[in-house]
């Protein structure tokens, strides 16, 4: 996997700035028990600047089912991508299956289609029986 030096430098710069200011975006996911979840988030001032600077298309919550492999990078596909307003701080929605392990990420899509992750969290809803 080869990454261009320009990308590495930009990411290094943003990560260093986040560490210096101790300003990180966070995402919290809560199971409501009725087959739905609530996602609560706070976008840091630096990440808000990044979103504005990139002239992003939209912010979103992405949902991956990682029950079988426990690794988002090996997941077959995104189960759901829910657009959210940059002025929102929470959303409640049903999940496709109410058991298993899910990976949630908050991020934004740039105009060129590139996805930028701001925060993430795993949620374990229990064992899923395979038939």
């Amino acid at each position: 996997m080869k990454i261009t030096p320009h990308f590495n430098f930009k990411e290094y710069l943003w990560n260093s700035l986040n560490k210096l200011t101790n300003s990180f975006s966070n995402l919290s996911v809560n199971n409501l028990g009725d087959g739905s979840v609530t996602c609560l988030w706070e976008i840091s001032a630096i990440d808000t600047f990044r979103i504005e600077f990139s002239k992003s298309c939209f912010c979103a919550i992405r949902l991956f089912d990682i029950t079988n492999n426990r690794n988002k990078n090996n997941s077959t596909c995104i189960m759901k991508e829910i657009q959210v307003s940059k002025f929102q701080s929470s959303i409640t929605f049903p999940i496709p299956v109410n058991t298993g392990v899910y990976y949630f990420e908050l991020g934004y899509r740039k105009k060129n289609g590139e996805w930028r992750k701001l925060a993430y969290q795993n949620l374990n809803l229990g064992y899923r029986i395979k038939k």
Side-chain angles (χ1 to χ4, degrees):
M1 183 172 143
K2 189 173 183 180
I3 300 175
T4 62
H6 176 69
F7 178 74
N8 282 339
F9 179 72
K10 266 176 50 175
E11 284 304 307
Y12 173 78
L13 182 66
W14 286 119
N15 290 336
S16 298
L17 193 56
N18 278 333
K19 287 178 185 174
L20 282 172
T21 61
N22 198 22
S23 176
F24 295 96
S25 296
N26 60 51
L27 172 67
S28 174
V29 182
N30 300 313
N31 180 16
L32 298 179
D34 62 353
S36 58
V37 294
T38 296
C39 294
L40 304 144
W41 63 88
E42 185 177 345
I43 299 175
S44 71
I46 292 171
D47 286 336
T48 301
F49 177 75
R50 284 178 73 183
I51 292 168
E52 292 297 323
F53 182 70
S54 72
K55 297 185 171 99
S56 71
C57 292
F58 60 86
C59 293
I61 300 283
R62 297 197 322 177
L63 168 65
F64 298 85
D65 183 355
I66 59 170
T67 302
N68 296 329
N69 52 14
R70 310 277 186 198
N71 184 346
K72 187 225 45 131
N73 293 328
N74 294 329
S75 181
T76 55
C77 66
I78 300 169
M79 290 189 76
K80 226 177 210 193
E81 184 170 286
I82 302 165
Q83 274 188 254
V84 294
S85 165
K86 62 182 176 183
F87 304 110
Q88 279 180 279
S89 61
S90 69
I91 189 169
T92 300
F93 59 91
I95 50 175
V97 181
N98 62 357
T99 58
V101 181
Y102 292 94
Y103 175 85
F104 294 83
E105 62 182 26
L106 169 68
Y108 62 96
R109 188 162 310 283
K110 293 173 60 174
K111 288 210 185 262
N112 66 1
E114 189 178 335
W115 175 257
R116 293 296 174 110
K117 178 174 57 174
L118 299 174
Y120 65 92
Q121 183 178 341
N122 288 344
L123 180 66
N124 188 342
L125 297 177
Y127 183 69
R128 183 180 299 162
I129 299 172
K130 294 181 184 178
K131 293 183 179 180

